[in-house]
């Protein structure tokens, strides 16, 4: 392994550790909030998910320990980290919903006013321009496909550092949203 690729792989490993710490923090938040709220998870309710996770763990093991291929192993690990961020983030939203915290509409409206944003004027403008409304609807509905397509494209392009950045940004966004 050349010095450049060795340095790149060490950098990848450092970023991977940051993602694992993010996942651990999110998981700790889920555990604490579920305990406080009396929520539980029935893992036996989805055998295909459990089987897929076991198969995935086997795949990672093969490419990290038996048939060593850093590119495949790194892509598989980063993809698994994204899945865990999504899964734990979903659980965080369950806890947030169950907590029944008050809405923050008044504070958000005050922020809009402070920024001189008038929601009614904005909605009227968009409503009077059907093409703009369709474009904005399409952009909003593209969020879910992007969650799959962006990581896939980054893996294909060999941009694992950017994939890791995507995973971290996605995790932080989920935490803030929850």
């Amino acid at each position: 392994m050349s010095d450049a690729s060795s340095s790149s792989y060490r950098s990848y490993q450092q970023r991977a550790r940051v993602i694992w710490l993010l996942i651990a923090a999110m998981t700790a938040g889920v555990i604490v909030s579920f305990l406080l709220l009396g929520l539980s998870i029935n893992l036996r309710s989805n055998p295909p998910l459990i089987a897929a996770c076991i198969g995935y763990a086997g795949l990672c093991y093969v490419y990290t320990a038996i048939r060593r291929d850093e590119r495949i192993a790194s892509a598989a690990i980063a993809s698994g980290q994204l899945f865990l961020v999504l899964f734990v983030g979903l659980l965080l939203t369950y806890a947030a919903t169950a907590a029944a915290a008050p809405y923050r509409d008044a504070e958000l409206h005050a922020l809009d006013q402070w920024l001189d944003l008038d929601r009614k004027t904005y909605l009227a403008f968009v409503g009077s321009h059907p093409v703009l409304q369709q474009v904005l609807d399409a952009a909003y509905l593209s969020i879910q496909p992007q969650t799959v397509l962006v990581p896939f494209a980054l893996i294909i392009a060999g941009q694992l550092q950017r994939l890791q950045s995507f995973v971290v940004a996605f995790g932080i966004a989920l935490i803030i949203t929850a």
Side-chain angles (χ1 to χ4, degrees):
M1 185 181 293
S2 70
D3 287 340
S5 64
S6 177
S7 173
S8 176
Y9 187 68
R10 276 194 305 276
S11 178
Y12 168 83
Q13 288 177 318
Q14 290 170 342
R15 286 188 306 277
R17 279 189 216 104
V18 169
I19 297 170
W20 287 123
L21 288 172
L22 175 67
I23 292 167
M26 291 173 74
T27 302
V30 167
I31 291 169
V32 169
S33 60
F34 272 46
L35 288 172
L36 291 173
L37 295 166
L39 299 174
S40 63
I41 301 169
N42 180 0
L43 293 176
R44 293 181 300 242
S45 67
N46 196 339
L49 178 63
I50 294 171
C53 289
I54 292 169
Y56 172 79
L59 173 84
C60 287
Y61 178 74
V62 166
Y63 285 104
T64 56
I66 298 172
R67 185 176 180 241
R68 294 177 183 257
D69 186 324
E70 287 178 14
R71 185 165 188 234
I72 294 173
S74 298
I77 290 168
S79 298
Q81 289 173 323
L82 177 60
F83 170 79
L84 288 172
V85 164
L86 287 167
F87 180 70
V88 177
L90 177 70
L91 296 176
L92 280 174
T93 64
Y94 288 160
T97 301
Y103 289 112
R104 297 290 174 218
D105 291 349
E107 290 89 347
L108 293 172
H109 180 66
L111 180 61
D112 284 349
Q113 288 180 322
W114 183 74
L115 293 171
D116 201 27
L117 299 174
D118 182 11
R119 184 175 185 263
K120 290 180 183 177
T121 302
Y122 168 77
L123 290 174
F125 177 80
V126 172
S128 67
H129 295 85
V131 173
L132 176 61
Q133 187 172 3
Q134 289 176 340
V135 168
L136 293 174
D137 285 345
Y140 180 76
L141 293 174
S142 74
I143 292 170
Q144 288 180 335
Q146 286 180 51
T147 306
V148 174
L149 294 176
V150 168
F152 182 72
L154 291 172
I155 289 169
I156 296 298
Q159 296 292 317
L160 295 178
Q161 293 174 351
R162 290 187 180 183
L163 176 58
Q164 288 176 315
S165 296
F166 180 84
V167 172
V168 170
F170 209 91
I172 291 170
L174 279 171
I175 291 168
I176 291 169
T177 301

